[in-house]
Every structure is written in structure tokens, then in C-alpha cells.
Amino acid sequence: MKKKKISYAKYGYIFSLPFVITFCIFTLYPIIFTVILGFTDFKGLGNVTWHFLDNPFQNFEAILTAPTFKTALGNTFMIWGWNFLPQILLALLLAAIFTNVRNKVKGQGFFKVVFYMPNIITAATVAILFGALFGYPMGPMNDLFTTMGWSDAPIHFLQNKWIARGVVSFIQFWMWYGYTMIVLISGILGINPELYEAADIDGATTVQQFFYVTIPNLRTVLIYTLVTSLIGGLTMFDIPNLLVTKSGPNNATLTTSVFIYNQAFSGSYMYNRASAASIIMFVLISILSAIVFMLMQDKSEVAEKKELKRIEKEMKQAAKKGGTL
Amino acid sequence: MNKKVRRANPVVMTIIYILCIILAIMSVMPFVIMIINSTRSTTEIQQHAISLIPSTYLMKNFAVLTGKSFNPVKGFINSIIVATGATACTVYFSTLTAYALVVYKWKLRDGFFTFIMAVMMIPSQVVSIGFYQFMYKIHLTNNFLPLILPAIAAPTVVFFMRQFMLPSLHIDIINSARIDGAKEFYTFNRIVLPIMKPAIATQAIFAFVTSWNRLFEPMILLTKQELYTMPMMVSLLKGDIYKTEFGSIYLGLTLTVLPLFIVYFLLSKYIIAGVALGGVKG
């Protein structure tokens, strides 16, 4: 019987077509359009005409020299940093505790469910809820402070710029440490258990095992967590936008995403400036992600190369020995 | 063998439990205050904003809440439409794209996969101005389509589906379907989709919650109040109209969170497992 060979390759193209078309329409084209608008005089609600500027980088210069943009950028990094550091430390600690075979914590399932819960709640709701909790003069926080005798008069918490920023950081921390913990737990469970057995036989303590076995083997998961958190942090919008009105005192909680939104959708509707700011953020995020990837990966690659060389050398020496014997 | 199992230190264990309980209270407390305060009157809240005893003003708060611009039913329906549409698009087309990547051998396949990995991390907010202007031009603002259709291209979900499909889908099954005369598209819908059910269920939950919680895109695209999604309805509570109606504000917040709580406590096992699975992809 003669077998007719059919090529199914075309279906590969056909089945990935919806993805490609959608991506081109809703992501690629908007990116290009945003870049173009960054070089134009396009502003005003309902306006549809625009011209390229004589000085093509005028918008970029305007954004980069604007003090509010600098404030926004500083706030964004500050708020992200204050949330990320305690978040990753606590998540690591909890992950280490929950994966420890010796000290089995009871009710782990329950704790995981409860710690992760804030993550699925609408960020907009969380922002307004915390705004109410820290409300002035009679929010629950003020109730707690006066009942406990920590303060005589109600405090206008969110009118203090450091507290306002701190609360945004805290909310981010509170919403995300459970997620990070679960990701790290699954990372730790993926580490070869023989490594721990070997460390046990060598008499390593739990703390030593954490620093010499767990942390080095978690590298890829930690890179992933750092990069996703960084991107999320640099595009943070809902919470700083809704926690306090008008970004708080002295623009204390103004983040770059809120800045872009305000440029484009309020005041004089400066789409060109907002586009320029978006492109700046896009480039910044790409550069930072690339740096993180390179820094973290180079190290392991360098180590691998070293290890390879060492093995090669040993093999050569062994071969030599073998030769002389 | 006399392997000695080192016993847990009781002091350390006590500290661990205390830490876990404090964190659990920290997670739950804001929501407890929210739910209880939604049953209390504004005067009660002003006297003591923290209370663990519910009061009887739930219906009154509801009347005040819905008497103004906040419309929980409308917001709920709009959010259901958007989130269901986006979820269906995401899981169906991501599985289809993953299928194209796993089953067929085509020239651009590896390049396409690298491309998906590269665009996985593009945050949607940095392309929002071009997106908004484009939608404005083709008259799709105040329409749900620009909130639903982009979900067809979900790089992270494609990645997840591919990872899941590689070990669980055997080419023999597809080949035998082909011998039986099944068309490729039919094979995908009738044979591959059922095999992928567990992965689809997990990703559907996340796609739904993500879409439900989204604020930025609806905020720039929707200006008509009858189209507001739940998070946008919530942002109305921030405005001046509810300024001192504390009980109603808490009730409004509770109503927006209620569906999520129900989904979460019914499916928490799968959600936690899904987070753990998604995390190792890095």
C-alpha cells in the first residue's frame, strides 16, 4: 500500500494566527502609535489632528526636566523598595518554615489560604478600604490609637507624606507576600532532596542549610520574583491613585503610572507628553529587567564554566596519571 | 540504622505559631472591620470605628448606597460580561496557540516561541496612550470589546499551557484521530480540550480574577456610568457624594468583594496549587 504523506505544518501557522493578529492590533500597533505620539504636538480632548514637532525630543526633554516626573519616579522606586524588601524576607522566612521537615507546622494549608487571600481582592477596593481604615478624624486606626492611649487627639495619618507612602508600601507588601511565599515554597520543594540529606549527614544546622543549600538553589525563582515584582511596582496605579485624593500632600504618593494618567486624561489632555513618559518608563523597565537577568545569570554561568574547566583539568590529570601507571 | 530524628525546639515552634497567627489576623482584620461596619450606622462608626459586634443598619446603609450613583447590580453584570468574555478568550486561544507550538512542526515555531517569551513581560499600562487613541479613532471607547478581545493574546497563559501540554498530550492520540478521518480543528476541540481541562480550569480562575480586578483599562475607555465595571463603581465611593456615609461606603466595598470571597473559599485549593505551578516557570 502506498502511504501518502500529509504535511500538517500549515496548521501550526493557522492555529497561532489569532494570537498573532490580536497581538499586532492590541499591543504592537499601540506601542508604535505611542512612540509616534511622543514626537508630536498631539493634545486636547477629542482632537484628532497632530503634527510632528520641529524639535523631535521636546516632549521627552519636558518630561525629564519636569520636577513632578522626578518626584513620581522617586516615589515609585521608594514605595516599591519598601514593599519588596520586607516582602521577600518574610516570604523566604515563611517558605523556609513551611518546608522544614523537622519542625512540621500544623495548619499550613489554612495559613497559606489566609496569607494569600488579600492578593485576589480588587486593588481598588483595598485602596479605598485602607483609606477608610486610616480615615480622619474617626477611622478605625484613630479609634485604636485613642482607645489605647497612644495619642490624645486624632491623627490625620494620610496627610503626612511619609505615612501616606508607607501605607501604600504596606498595602503592596500585604497583598503580595503570600503570593511570593507560595512561589518560593514550590521553588524549595523543587530542590533535589538529596542535597538536604547530604547537608544533614555533614551535620549542617537548619540555618546553615537555608543559606548554603536553599538560597543558592532558588536563584532562578528569585530572579523571576524580582523581575515580576519590579515591573508590577513600576506600573503601580490602583492603590496610589485611590488611597488618597490628589496623590496626597506634596504629591507624596504620585507614581509614574498615575503621572501618565494625569497627563493624558485630566487637565489639558497632553497625550504627547503622556506618550513620551510611557516610552521613558518602557525603556527603563526593559533596561532594569535586562540588568537583573544579566547580573543573576552571569554569575551562575561563570560558575558553571569554572566548574567545567576544573573537571576538565582533573580529567586531564587523571588521564596523565593513567598514562604513567 | 539508628538515625536520630532531632526534635523540634518548643520555644522556636511557639514563636513560629505566634508569627503565623499575627499574620493571619493581619490578613483578615481589615475585611472583618469592613464587613461589620457595613452593618453599622454612621453615628455608631463615628463613636467607635472598631467593633466586633454587628449592628442592624444593613438595609438602611443599602438604601443610602444605592440611592446615589453606586449601582452594585449594574457593576456586577458589567464585570461578569467583561471577565467571562476575557476568560473564555484567554483560555481557548492560549490552548490553541500552545497546541500549534507543541503538535505541529513548522519553520517559524521556535522563533515564535522565543517571541512569546520576549513579550511576556510587556506591561499593558505603558502602551495605554496609543491603545486609547486607537480605540477612540475606531469608535470603540464605551464598548466592552477592547476589554475582552485583547485577552486572546495572553503570552503567560500560552507559556503555561505549553508546559502542561508537552508531557500530557501524546501524538498517538492525535494520529489515531487522524486515521479515523478527524479534521485538525475537530481534533483540537473534541480531544485536546478535554485532556487540557485541569490546566484550563486553573488558568480560567486566574484570568477571571485578573480581569475582574482590572481598573486602569476600564477607567480610560469607559466614560458612561451604565458601563462601569465593579472596580470603577468602587472608585465612586471615594468621591464627595458618600463623604460621611461611612456605613454605606463599607457596605459598597463589601458588596464588591463578596463574589471574590465566595470564589476564593470554594476554589482556594486549586488557586494555591495554581500559584505554585505558575511560579516555577521562571
Side-chain angles (χ1 to χ4, degrees), chain A residues 8 22-23 31 34 42 46 103 106 113 120 122 125 128 138 140 143 174 186 235 242-243 257 265 271 275 282, chain B residues 8 13 17 26 46 48-50 125-127 129-130 133 136 152 178 184 213 220 234 238 256-257 264 276:
Chain A
Y8 291 103
T22 311
F23 181 82
I31 291 179
T34 310
F42 187 48
N103 310 341
K106 277 176 200 146
V113 168
I120 63 140
T122 317
T125 307
I128 292 173
M138 269 321 298
D143 188 19
W174 178 76
S186 81
T235 53
L242 287 174
L243 180 71
S257 283
F265 300 104
Y271 300 116
S275 301
F282 191 68
Chain B
M13 288 312 281
Y17 280 113
M26 195 172 88
Q46 273 177 329
H48 264 295
I50 303 178
Q125 282 169 23
V126 294
V127 300
I129 307 297
Q133 286 303 333
Y136 185 80
I152 292 172
R178 278 174 187 160
E184 293 304 297
N213 287 343
I220 62 174
V234 170
K238 187 79 199 167
T256 58
V257 181
Y264 187 59

Side-chain angles (χ1 to χ4, degrees), chain B residues 2 7 9 23 46 74 85 101 103 142 146-147 157 161 190 214 259 266 278 281:
Chain B
N2 58 343
R7 290 297 295 265
N9 183 338
L23 289 173
Q46 273 177 329
K74 196 130 236 176
L101 281 167
V103 169
N142 282 321
L147 297 173
V157 186
M161 292 299 185
R190 287 305 165 89
R214 194 160 277 161
L266 287 178
K281 72 187 162 194

Side-chain angles (χ1 to χ4, degrees), chain A residues 8-9 11-13 15-16 18-20 22-23 25-27 29-31 33-34 37 42 45-48 90 93-94 97-98 102-106 110-126 128-133 138-141 143-144 147 170 173-174 177 179 182-183 186-187 197 200 203-205 220-221 224 227-228 231 235-238 241-245 257 260-261 264-265 271 274-275 278-279 281-282 285 293, chain B residues 3 5-9 12-13 16-17 19-21 23-24 26-28 30-31 33-34 37 45-50 93 96-97 99-100 104-108 112 115-116 119 121-123 125-137 145-146 149-155 158 178 183-185 188 206 209 212-216 219-220 231 234-238 249-250 253 256-257 260-261 264-265 268-269 271-272 275-282:
Chain A
Y8 291 103
Y11 289 102
Y13 292 98
F15 287 172
S16 39
F19 181 98
V20 175
T22 311
F23 181 82
I25 295 175
F26 292 108
T27 308
Y29 179 68
I31 291 179
F33 201 28
T34 310
L37 287 178
F42 187 48
L45 186 65
N47 186 8
V48 280
L90 181 65
L93 179 69
L94 289 172
I97 289 172
F98 283 173
R102 231 173 273 145
N103 310 341
K104 207 125 188 97
V105 176
K106 277 176 200 146
F110 167 79
F111 285 128
K112 278 185 203 166
V113 168
V114 174
F115 294 170
Y116 179 71
M117 186 185 65
N119 192 265
I120 63 140
I121 305 300
T122 317
T125 307
V126 171
I128 292 173
L129 176 59
F130 272 79
L133 293 181
M138 269 321 298
M141 229 16 155
D143 188 19
L144 183 74
T147 314
F170 175 78
F173 158 81
W174 178 76
Y177 81 89
Y179 168 86
I182 294 169
V183 169
S186 81
E197 278 163 31
D200 243 353
T205 62
T220 23
V221 182
Y224 167 78
V227 172
T228 46
I231 295 175
T235 53
M236 166 177 28
F237 176 79
D238 305 10
N241 187 44
L242 287 174
L243 180 71
V244 279
T245 26
S257 283
I260 291 169
Y261 179 84
F265 300 104
Y271 300 116
S275 301
S278 303
I279 301 305
M281 285 318 288
F282 191 68
I285 289 172
F293 274 121
Chain B
K3 212 173 165 189
V5 180
R6 275 178 277 183
R7 290 297 295 265
N9 183 338
V12 174
M13 288 312 281
I16 287 173
Y17 280 113
L19 174 74
C20 285
I21 290 166
L23 289 173
M26 195 172 88
S27 284
V28 174
F31 300 115
I33 294 177
M34 172 184 84
N37 276 353
I45 294 171
Q46 273 177 329
Q47 274 158 5
H48 264 295
I50 303 178
F93 287 102
L96 188 67
T97 315
Y99 187 65
Y104 302 105
K105 285 186 179 66
W106 36 299
K107 229 188 201 163
L108 296 174
F112 182 55
F115 166 78
I116 285 181
V119 299
M121 304 243 176
I122 296 180
Q125 282 169 23
V126 294
V127 300
S128 60
I129 307 297
F131 181 69
Y132 169 76
Q133 286 303 333
F134 178 38
M135 291 305 120
Y136 185 80
K137 234 198 227 159
L145 286 180
L149 291 179
I152 292 172
V158 174
R178 278 174 187 160
K183 292 270 185 324
E184 293 304 297
F185 193 54
F188 172 75
F206 285 105
V209 171
W212 182 278
N213 287 343
R214 194 160 277 161
L215 175 69
F216 192 82
M219 213 165 136
I220 62 174
V234 170
S235 61
L236 289 176
L237 297 171
K238 187 79 199 167
I249 293 177
Y250 284 114
L253 294 172
T256 58
V257 181
L260 289 172
F261 273 142
Y264 187 59
F265 288 111
S268 62
K269 216 168 137 193
I271 294 176
I272 303 281
V275 176
L277 269 178
V280 253
K281 72 187 162 194

